[in-house]
Amino acid sequence: MTPEEQKRNRLLARILPGMAITVIYFIFISGILSEKMTKAEDAYTNLMRKGISPASVPSVIKQQDQTRTQISTLEKQHAEFKQKLKELAGFLSNTTPSNESSTLLSSILLTHHIRVKNEQREVFLEANLSPALKEVWQWLKPESKEGKTTDIFVQHLSLTASYQNMYLALATIAQGELKAIPVSFTMSESNEASAISEDLDWELLLWM
């Protein structure tokens, strides 16, 4: 890769983080507390088996009550967060993009003079998602039936455009109006004889 291409990639990388979803959630904390709850209950059961009265072990009972309260609070926060995430990125579980998203994407590409050489809907492997998107998908993917995996569908776009026009198009997508998240993005020199000298080839996979 030439120094100029490296510079271009660095510039593009500045706006790409704004196009992804970051996730903060309580499942690990809840898991830890659930483990504490289990240990407290086990200790209580063992004491009962030894014939020790519950009244003689108030600390165990108090620990159980406190842990139950913490788990209840976290479960409520968990449900609230999941609902907010669905409102924000629930479109990721769709098998086909909405007409609104498809129309908006076409408008963005047309506005910035980006030529679509090829566009197709295809399956994207969960293993190839970034760590942040894997976490999002774990929350959003529908429950599988009969052991079948739930497929992720992306829009695979082969494009031709200048660096500046592609940068402007990505900046528009990053503003958030288009319900789509990029999962893969590459650039290469154009091999088409008819291409303008400033044109480059782009491969963009949008989860939408």
Side-chain angles (χ1 to χ4, degrees):
M1 183 179 293
T2 66
E4 182 65 23
E5 289 175 332
Q6 292 176 347
K7 180 180 178 181
R8 288 172 176 172
N9 282 342
R10 285 196 299 270
L11 289 172
L12 285 173
R14 293 178 184 176
I15 66 170
L16 289 178
M19 302 166 69
I21 295 176
T22 55
V23 180
I24 300 174
Y25 56 93
F26 302 95
I27 192 168
F28 292 138
I29 300 175
S30 180
I32 292 172
L33 289 175
S34 295
E35 184 179 354
K36 288 175 61 179
M37 182 66 184
T38 301
K39 289 181 178 179
E41 289 181 341
D42 288 344
Y44 176 83
T45 301
N46 289 334
L47 288 172
M48 290 295 292
R49 287 175 178 173
K50 294 177 181 178
I52 301 177
S53 170
S56 64
V57 284
S59 62
V60 175
I61 297 174
K62 182 179 180 180
Q63 183 181 9
Q64 285 182 310
D65 291 339
Q66 290 177 339
T67 305
R68 285 196 182 97
T69 300
Q70 288 177 301
I71 290 177
S72 178
T73 300
L74 286 171
E75 286 176 343
K76 182 179 179 181
Q77 293 174 330
H78 177 280
E80 291 174 351
F81 175 78
K82 188 172 183 178
Q83 180 59 37
K84 290 180 180 179
L85 185 58
K86 283 186 175 180
E87 293 172 359
L88 176 66
F91 66 89
L92 297 179
S93 59
N94 296 336
T95 56
T96 57
S98 68
N99 291 334
E100 180 184 359
S101 294
S102 298
T103 301
L104 182 54
L105 175 60
S106 297
S107 176
I108 291 173
L109 298 178
L110 181 62
T111 298
H112 296 290
H113 311 289
I114 296 173
R115 183 162 61 91
V116 180
K117 296 193 298 181
N118 187 45
E119 180 177 1
Q120 62 186 30
R121 193 77 171 164
E122 62 184 41
V123 173
F124 190 86
L125 296 178
E126 180 178 350
N128 293 335
L129 291 174
S130 67
L133 290 181
K134 282 181 181 177
E135 292 177 1
V136 173
W137 183 235
Q138 290 301 314
W139 286 77
L140 294 176
K141 67 179 179 181
E143 293 184 6
S144 59
K145 297 180 180 179
E146 299 178 357
K148 294 182 180 179
T149 58
T150 304
D151 291 329
I152 296 171
F153 290 92
V154 298
Q155 209 72 4
H156 187 165
L157 301 161
S158 298
L159 310 168
T160 297
S162 67
Y163 170 82
Q164 182 178 8
N165 286 342
M166 180 57 70
Y167 181 92
L168 292 173
L170 289 176
T172 301
I173 293 174
Q175 292 175 2
E177 293 185 12
L178 176 63
K179 292 182 178 180
I181 296 176
V183 296
S184 178
F185 182 62
T186 58
M187 174 189 70
S188 62
E189 293 185 2
S190 179
N191 294 322
E192 293 188 6
S194 59
I196 302 174
S197 59
E198 295 182 353
D199 282 351
L200 298 165
D201 285 341
W202 310 83
E203 294 288 331
L204 177 61
L205 272 62
L206 286 176
W207 192 359
M208 57 182 289

